[in-house]
Amino acid sequence: MVLQILLVISIILQLIAAGTAIKLMRETKYNFSWILFTVALTAMSLLRFGEYIQMVGSKELRLPPDFFVWIGVLTSLCFAVGVFYVRKIFTYINRLDIQRRLTERRILSTVLRTEEKERLRFSKELHDGLGPLLSSAKMSLSALSLDGADDKNREIVSNLDYVIDEAIRSLKEISNNLSPHVLNDFGLARAVSNFISRSMTLDAMKVNFETNLRSERFNTDVEVILYRVLCELINNSIKHSGGSRIGISLQYDGRRLTIDYSDNGRGFRPEAVLDTGMGLSNITSRVQSLKGTSTITSAPGEGMKAHIEINLHEEPWKKRK
Ligand SMILES: Nc1ncnc2c1ncn2[C@@H]1O[C@H](COP(=O)(O)OP(=O)(O)OP(=O)(O)O)[C@@H](O)[C@H]1O
Ligand SMILES: [Mg+2]
């Protein structure tokens, strides 16, 4: 009796499994494998049904032994071919995944390129549009004759001269921040040195910047992205670390560009600041868009370290002449 109940349960379970396999047909490509599994599971439930009849039926109802052999062969065949097709499903999913990552990287690098193009355009507009106007205002002011002017007027003119100088200075700074012309003209190492000397004027931090780059030039994307990444790391150390030393090493070995960055500040737990700001996540996505790797390690009280590597050999990041 127990055996009969178990057989009935097993028939029901196999039919449910067959039904589930039919449903999966709609969800995946290569649904042929699911058809085969459905057939195999139904055949298995037929086998169980045959066994049940053997158990409860009278002598006349006995099924021929061939029935069990053929159904067994059909089940094995369906499972074997089905498994082969399931392997194809995994290959297909892997291919989709690679394609998705490639598309994501393409979108990211297009966004970054567009952003840099817009920055360059703003910077040029400011520099070439507003710059000459301010210079001409300054020239007109210096041509103004102050003979016979009283002290009050002299003070106003001197004030105006100072304001125009300040406006010219901050215009240059804004334009340079938007798109650093040193990067375009002299490359990564000079631009980073330049940024360090501009950022450190008021700060008590010491920066040790070492590089073996001389006049080598790389693809604009590589230079702009690594420049922005280093600027963000330096800004973070100034803003958040409270430390006194920053070490930067930028090395090129003919194949790879490697950055090793560290500060001796208060450190932080990287997993705890995931949604604090955009800086660190931008570093990761910018480096990813170059197919590079970035690792940021830090712990409270232990400063922070960042290691970034871009393989220039693998990608079309050719050197600029
Ligand atoms: N060098 C560092 N030393 C100590 N803490 C840091 C350092 N760099 C980052 N952090 C911590 O990690 C957090 C996230 O940094 P992230 O650069 O992503 O954002 P942010 O600098 O706060 O803002 P944003 O960069 O968007 O202007 C910071 O708020 C800070 O708490
Ligand atoms: Mg930041």
Side-chain angles (χ1 to χ4, degrees):
M1 184 65 185
V2 176
L3 279 180
Q4 286 167 15
I5 294 171
L6 283 176
L7 268 179
V8 172
I9 292 174
S10 122
I11 291 169
I12 293 170
L13 285 178
Q14 276 161 6
L15 285 176
I16 291 174
T20 313
I22 289 179
K23 276 196 203 142
L24 282 172
M25 260 167 39
R26 262 183 274 138
E27 286 171 34
T28 47
K29 223 180 165 220
Y30 295 108
N31 29 27
F32 192 50
S33 57
W34 303 118
I35 297 177
L36 289 170
F37 284 151
T38 311
V39 174
L41 286 161
T42 318
M44 274 171 76
S45 59
L46 260 178
L47 266 181
R48 296 293 89 78
F49 186 64
E51 282 163 10
Y52 180 80
I53 289 188
Q54 298 287 92
M55 217 175 266
V56 296
S58 59
K59 280 222 165 114
E60 301 83 69
L61 254 176
R62 297 234 152 197
L63 292 161
D66 281 15
F67 169 82
F68 293 97
V69 174
W70 282 112
I71 297 281
V73 168
L74 178 70
T75 313
S76 323
L77 201 71
C78 287
F79 271 132
V81 183
V83 166
F84 172 77
Y85 275 96
V86 165
R87 260 187 42 205
K88 278 195 165 187
I89 293 178
F90 285 112
T91 321
Y92 174 73
I93 290 173
N94 273 347
R95 223 177 28 234
L96 275 189
D97 203 43
I98 292 169
Q99 231 156 28
R100 183 183 51 78
R101 267 183 279 157
L102 213 72
T103 316
E104 270 173 14
R105 206 162 35 230
R106 269 196 211 123
I107 293 172
L108 198 67
S109 76
T110 313
V111 169
L112 292 176
R113 224 172 275 162
T114 316
E115 189 191 327
E116 284 305 325
K117 238 162 96 188
E118 275 307 288
R119 278 168 174 259
L120 183 69
R121 197 176 65 80
F122 277 140
S123 158
K124 276 209 170 115
E125 298 268 299
L126 276 180
H127 189 270
D128 303 345
L130 205 54
L133 288 180
L134 286 172
S135 303
S136 115
K138 190 175 163 60
M139 263 163 53
S140 308
L141 199 66
S142 44
L144 201 70
S145 167
L146 288 177
D147 294 344
D150 58 17
D151 280 355
K152 195 176 170 205
N153 281 342
R154 276 175 196 279
E155 201 187 319
I156 291 174
V157 170
S158 133
N159 232 346
L160 213 54
D161 194 46
Y162 172 76
V163 171
I164 293 177
D165 275 346
E166 275 299 291
I168 290 174
R169 200 189 52 74
S170 73
L171 176 78
K172 273 192 185 147
E173 205 176 297
I174 295 169
S175 152
N176 199 51
N177 277 345
L178 278 171
S179 183
H181 63 89
V182 185
L183 181 63
N184 234 332
D185 298 341
F186 302 105
L188 192 56
R190 275 280 286 279
V192 173
S193 299
N194 205 285
F195 181 79
I196 292 170
S197 35
R198 274 190 294 129
S199 313
M200 293 304 150
T201 45
L202 294 173
D203 287 284
M205 288 189 106
K206 291 269 161 298
V207 182
N208 179 23
F209 176 42
E210 287 174 0
T211 180
N212 66 350
L213 286 184
R214 296 286 163 255
S215 52
E216 292 91 337
R217 298 304 306 269
F218 306 95
N219 178 291
T220 319
D221 284 354
V222 173
E223 290 188 340
V224 169
I225 286 176
L226 291 187
Y227 175 76
R228 298 265 179 237
V229 164
L230 275 169
C231 292
E232 175 58 26
L233 289 171
I234 295 169
N235 278 337
N236 272 358
S237 295
I238 296 172
K239 265 202 299 185
H240 308 297
S241 81
S244 58
R245 272 199 321 275
I246 293 177
I248 307 171
S249 154
L250 171 63
Q251 305 295 328
Y252 176 55
D253 66 2
R255 289 171 64 90
R256 275 167 309 170
L257 260 171
T258 314
I259 293 175
D260 277 296
Y261 181 98
S262 64
D263 73 34
N264 66 344
R266 63 174 65 94
F268 61 103
R269 282 194 300 125
E271 64 283 2
V273 297
L274 287 178
D275 46 8
T276 316
M278 297 286 291
L280 293 180
S281 59
N282 275 354
I283 290 179
T284 315
S285 51
R286 280 175 192 272
V287 172
Q288 264 173 10
S289 78
L290 297 179
K291 233 181 166 183
T293 54
S294 64
T295 345
I296 292 178
T297 42
S298 183
E302 289 179 15
M304 70 86 70
K305 282 192 171 64
H307 178 81
I308 290 158
E309 226 175 274
I310 311 290
N311 195 339
L312 301 166
H313 199 66
E314 260 181 24
E315 283 290 324
W317 313 124
K318 288 183 214 97
K319 275 161 76 169
R320 273 202 267 167
K321 298 260 158 59

